[in-house]
Amino acid sequence: MIVLAVLRRDLAAAFREPGEVLNALVFFVVVVTLFPLGVSPVLSELAPAAPGVLWVAALLATLLSLDVMLRADHESGVLEQMVIGTQPLFLIMLGKALAHWVLSGLPLVVLAPLLALTLGLPESALFTLVLALLLATPVFSLLGSVGVALTVGLRAGSVLLGILVLPLYVPLLIIGTEAVRAAAKTEPADGPLLWLGALLALAVGFCPVAAALGVKITSGR
């Protein structure tokens, strides 16, 4: 299947040059660990802000790593061959987004519970944090693929990418933070989690098609 082929190719390329992937993860860890130094080392004072800090850090770390999704293919001319090739372009873009999530989003999900404990987040909220991030980080990658497709090759592409994508990330940030806060207060978090699941389903259905159209527009096809 073309999606798995693209996934394997991008994972192999990332393992050959892991620096781009590690940058986002290091950024995530640094932002979260520096927060207590700037606010307070007392866990009881950090706990109320922990959900927001974790989600903002995850959002920014994802944004930092988006630019590499299509950069190498654009510079090598492979992206042009993808556009004029016979394989469905939307499936290729779905594979690109999936590879980005495996390399950037999934490690954030793994690291988040450990960093959450350093901020005093109650253990009862860790499962909700992981589940919410598992639902939201793929949407980050899928929405990001649309922004990357529209800005790849532009001189100020990174700046434009942030302008395009950040407003789309805000609802996920609000819903995800609310889910973790509710769990921390031992309140039901089903509503926010269902919203995140619905947004993920919509993103899987529409974002690869939009990204494929974006690539065709930027390549003049």
Side-chain angles (χ1 to χ4, degrees), residues 14 17-25 61 64-68 71 103-104:
E17 297 182 8
E20 297 285 1
V21 176
L22 292 177
N23 284 343
L25 299 181
L64 182 66
S65 65
L66 283 177
D67 188 51
V68 302
R71 184 200 302 162
L103 293 168
S104 300

Side-chain angles (χ1 to χ4, degrees), residues 28 101 104-113 129-131 133-134 137:
F28 178 63
W101 177 75
S104 300
L106 188 57
L108 296 183
V109 176
V110 174
L111 290 173
L129 172 65
V130 171
L131 183 55
L133 286 173
L134 275 175
T137 48

